[in-house]
Amino acid sequence: MEGGVGSEGILVKVGSRFGKRYGSGRPWVDIEEVCLELVGLRPRVIRGNGSEIIALSKASVGATEVVDSSHESMDAMEAAKTLAQSSGSIIAVSGAVDIITYGHQVVGAHNGVPMMQKITATGCAVTALIAAFVAVDPLHALEATASAMSIFGIAGEMGTDMANGPASLRMHFIDSLYNLDQASVSARLKITSL
């Protein structure tokens, strides 16, 4: 799970291993406790996949479980709304339909392609883009988050048009993101109320 904190655009990457402890010669760190402490700081946006958001929502009310990535974004809609209401943060759930909510209003960004899941670090990259968009427009953080997720997906769609597989998609995705223009975004943008 990653969180873009406040209008400063800080990105904190903490991993997704709820229920596990990590050490390596240092005192053991309980990732779940770290995540809950970060949520307590009321970040502007919390982004994760469906399983991460479900686990974080449950952990925030005392339940724990090991996270995998088997849940789709739509499976996490109620957990996202609950977490948004309890944390005061906007919750962004990545998936086939990206879900963005502050607890009452829920929007979906319907851009992207399944092959993007085959590329390592797309979650980190979209979270960095969210942090940048929210830093530019902190008063409209929900809209900034939805726009960042949709634009990220648009670049994936455009990159897929030129790609032969995940390796070439990575290259074409980055080129597409770099070369995006207003006409491309306007023609492809798919954000709806859910």
Side-chain angles (χ1 to χ4, degrees):
M1 181 195 63
E2 295 115 31
V5 182
S7 63
E8 297 84 13
I10 297 170
L11 169 65
V12 178
K13 168 98 173 90
V14 295
S16 59
R17 305 290 196 268
F18 271 68
K20 304 245 181 195
R21 295 179 177 269
Y22 294 91
S24 164
R26 298 184 183 132
W28 288 95
V29 174
D30 187 333
I31 298 299
E32 182 178 315
E33 287 179 23
V34 171
C35 289
L36 291 174
E37 286 180 29
L38 289 171
V39 169
L41 296 175
R42 301 180 66 83
R44 183 76 47 112
V45 180
I46 298 170
R47 196 228 39 99
N49 66 38
S51 295
E52 291 167 337
I53 296 302
I54 290 169
L56 185 57
S57 180
K58 287 180 180 179
S60 70
V61 295
T64 61
E65 65 181 61
V66 174
V67 172
D68 58 27
S69 57
S70 63
H71 294 97
E72 293 295 327
S73 58
M74 297 303 278
D75 299 336
M77 188 179 307
E78 290 306 315
K81 288 173 18 181
T82 300
L83 182 58
Q85 290 171 349
S86 67
S87 67
S89 300
I90 292 166
I91 307 301
V93 187
S94 298
V97 174
D98 298 321
I99 296 173
I100 306 95
T101 184
Y102 65 83
H104 301 289
Q105 180 183 8
V106 181
V107 297
H110 302 267
N111 294 102
V113 293
M115 196 187 313
M116 289 178 70
Q117 296 173 350
K118 307 287 185 197
I119 300 174
T120 303
T122 54
C124 297
V126 74
T127 305
L129 192 62
I130 291 167
F133 274 48
V134 171
V136 170
D137 194 0
L139 298 178
H140 299 100
L142 181 89
E143 295 85 350
T145 301
S147 296
M149 295 185 88
S150 189
I151 286 171
F152 195 83
I154 289 169
E157 292 169 0
M158 293 171 68
T160 298
D161 294 343
M162 299 174 276
N164 295 314
S168 58
L169 174 57
R170 174 187 297 277
M171 176 185 65
H172 292 299
F173 163 76
I174 293 168
D175 287 345
S176 295
L177 191 59
Y178 176 81
N179 290 308
L180 272 177
D181 58 26
Q182 186 173 353
S184 298
V185 172
S186 295
R188 293 178 177 253
L189 191 75
K190 298 177 202 155
I191 299 174
T192 62
S193 288
L194 297 178

